[in-house]
Amino acid sequence: MKRSSVPLIYGIYIAIALIGYFLLLSLLDLHQNPAYSVFNMVITGGGIFLAIKKYRDKKLGKFKYQKGFMAGLTAGFVATVIFTAFFAVYTSELNPSFSEELITMWETDWFVNIGMLVFTVALMGFATSLVVTLAIMQLYKPSWNTSEGKKHTY
């Protein structure tokens, strides 16, 4: 596997895990409760962590923060696009009543169509990918706690 294909492959793995988790929740009739979507962050975070780790291991020489960040962000964005496409098909074709069931959980006077629901899922996925990648990359940031770094402190 080439280093450049690592984010793509791990993005597909993350998407498969997210889709599997969503389908498991739907089998248990828990997919209308948005509280369970918090676990999506755990799935995405685990996949992004593994993608960055694999990317770093494939890198010969010095690992650059920017390259690792882009690998994690790409994996998360690929997973978000695939999961959002699945969610759009699921909500419009496989279970058209799902969007109404989900929206009626909140008492609101707003009209929320399927496009807005899919856009919200995509936005949440992109935001999760960005935040989780930023958090995980802190593990790979070079430390300033070296003898050379201590010379430059007060």
Side-chain angles (χ1 to χ4, degrees):
M1 175 180 351
K2 288 175 38 178
R3 188 177 40 138
S4 61
S5 65
V6 168
L8 179 65
I9 298 297
Y10 276 85
I12 294 170
Y13 290 159
I14 295 167
I16 290 170
L18 290 171
I19 292 169
Y21 176 64
F22 182 82
L23 291 176
L24 177 68
L25 287 178
S26 69
L27 283 176
L28 301 173
D29 203 27
L30 298 172
H31 63 301
Q32 291 100 355
N33 191 346
Y36 290 107
S37 68
V38 172
F39 192 67
N40 289 352
M41 186 173 62
V42 174
I43 294 170
T44 304
I48 288 174
F49 174 79
L50 292 174
I52 293 171
K53 185 174 187 282
K54 182 75 164 188
Y55 187 85
R56 183 192 66 177
D57 292 345
K58 291 280 182 188
K59 178 73 175 152
L60 301 173
K62 190 169 181 174
F63 176 72
K64 291 188 176 183
Y65 181 91
Q66 294 86 354
K67 297 289 187 179
F69 180 78
M70 285 308 297
L73 201 60
T74 303
F77 280 16
V78 166
T80 298
V81 168
I82 293 171
F83 180 75
T84 302
F86 161 78
F87 187 80
V89 169
Y90 180 85
T91 336
S92 63
E93 303 298 326
L94 300 176
N95 189 0
S97 64
F98 171 70
S99 62
E100 292 177 21
E101 295 169 4
L102 183 65
I103 298 302
T104 56
M105 291 189 66
W106 297 291
E107 299 202 10
T108 180
D109 294 334
W110 293 3
F111 172 71
V112 179
N113 60 9
I114 193 165
M116 186 59 109
L117 187 61
V118 170
F119 175 73
T120 303
V121 168
L123 194 62
M124 287 172 43
F126 291 137
T128 299
S129 298
L130 177 67
V131 170
V132 166
T133 302
L134 282 170
I136 290 172
M137 281 308 295
Q138 297 306 306
L139 299 171
Y140 297 109
K141 188 168 64 171
S143 174
W144 288 9
N145 295 328
T146 62
S147 57
E148 180 64 28
K150 290 180 182 178
K151 292 178 188 176
H152 305 289
T153 59
Y154 292 116

